[in-house]
Amino acid sequence: MEDTPKRVTRRRVRTRARLLDAAFQVFAAKGFGRVSIEEVCEAAGFSRGAFYSNFATLDELFFALYQERADLIAAQVADAFAQEGPDLDVRASVDRVTEVLLLDVDWLLVKTDFLVHAARDAAVARALLDHRARLRRAIADRLSRARGHTDLPAVLGDPDGAAHAVVAAYDGVTTQLLLDKDVEAARVWLKQLLTALLTDGSGSPSRI
């Protein structure tokens, strides 16, 4: 009997993961505002009871899905920067970030839906702003160690300003990707843009 709670917990984790995976596919295909709880349950192979044992509303599931993917991107950026140890070689780190960073059109469709949703809901907007602030702080912390290799351009002000620029560059490149669906071009453009932003700007980025 001692193992029962652990089995239930593992089963619930798996159920939640399947619901999130199914929701991602359905949201990407149809858009958040056009999806019902029944459609998510059908895609996951579960009943409404399974849904409500994990999420109170479709909005809650949508936010959990966004948080999961956004945290993955934040971790990818942090891990790439962290490989430099106590100092940071900006160019080498930009290379690593752009090689591993998730650039996925389906995710961008879901992310865009979430941004629109947040723009109309103050509580969701606050949560999204908090996540973006945490991402910028993680980037700024690593960029503050760049002085051992490369001075950040004075126009960016400080590591906080540079972190804002990094996030803005990612937003811009992924908007282009959402329209033209060219992942490789987006990866190259992001690498060039971040290198120009965070170093002396040599090797100016080409046009998309």
Side-chain angles (χ1 to χ4, degrees):
M1 293 296 292
E2 291 181 358
D3 291 335
T4 301
K6 292 183 180 180
R7 287 200 299 270
V8 171
T9 299
R10 286 196 295 268
R11 184 166 63 248
R12 183 165 183 173
V13 168
R14 288 195 297 269
T15 299
R16 180 182 175 90
R18 282 177 59 184
L19 285 167
L20 288 170
D21 287 344
F24 178 80
Q25 299 302 324
V26 177
F27 287 148
K30 299 188 67 174
F32 173 69
R34 300 179 179 180
V35 173
S36 67
I37 290 174
E38 288 78 8
E39 287 174 300
V40 173
C41 292
E42 182 179 354
F46 290 130
S47 66
R48 287 175 63 95
F51 178 93
Y52 286 116
S53 70
N54 288 275
F55 304 101
T57 65
L58 202 58
D59 280 22
E60 183 181 321
L61 179 149
F62 192 43
F63 185 79
L65 176 62
Y66 178 87
Q67 192 70 38
E68 178 184 74
R69 298 290 172 131
D71 284 349
L72 171 62
I73 291 172
Q76 289 175 330
V77 172
D79 288 347
F81 280 155
Q83 291 180 35
E84 288 298 322
D87 288 316
L88 178 69
D89 184 324
V90 172
R91 291 179 183 276
S93 293
V94 166
D95 286 347
R96 277 195 297 274
V97 167
T98 53
E99 284 171 5
V100 304
L101 190 62
L102 177 67
L103 291 174
D104 177 73
V105 173
D106 283 345
W107 156 243
L108 295 177
L109 288 168
V110 174
K111 175 187 173 184
T112 301
D113 274 349
F114 190 81
L115 289 171
V116 172
H117 182 48
R120 294 188 173 95
D121 187 312
V124 176
R126 283 194 297 272
L128 178 56
L129 287 170
D130 178 68
H131 169 79
R132 289 170 69 85
R134 286 187 284 113
L135 174 59
R136 289 195 301 268
R137 284 196 297 270
I139 295 171
D141 176 65
R142 297 305 304 174
L143 290 178
S144 68
R145 308 179 189 188
R147 297 185 182 91
H149 293 279
T150 309
D151 290 332
L152 293 174
V155 69
L156 297 177
D158 57 19
D160 288 335
H164 274 80
V166 168
V167 174
Y170 174 77
D171 287 343
V173 169
T174 52
T175 296
Q176 180 71 26
L177 173 58
L178 187 59
L179 297 174
D180 64 23
K181 310 294 193 297
D182 192 336
V183 175
E184 290 310 310
R187 209 172 288 282
V188 170
W189 174 240
L190 184 61
K191 176 180 176 180
Q192 293 174 331
L193 184 55
L194 291 181
T195 300
L197 276 172
L198 298 177
T199 64
D200 61 6
S202 61
S204 299
S206 61
R207 286 187 169 280
I208 268 190

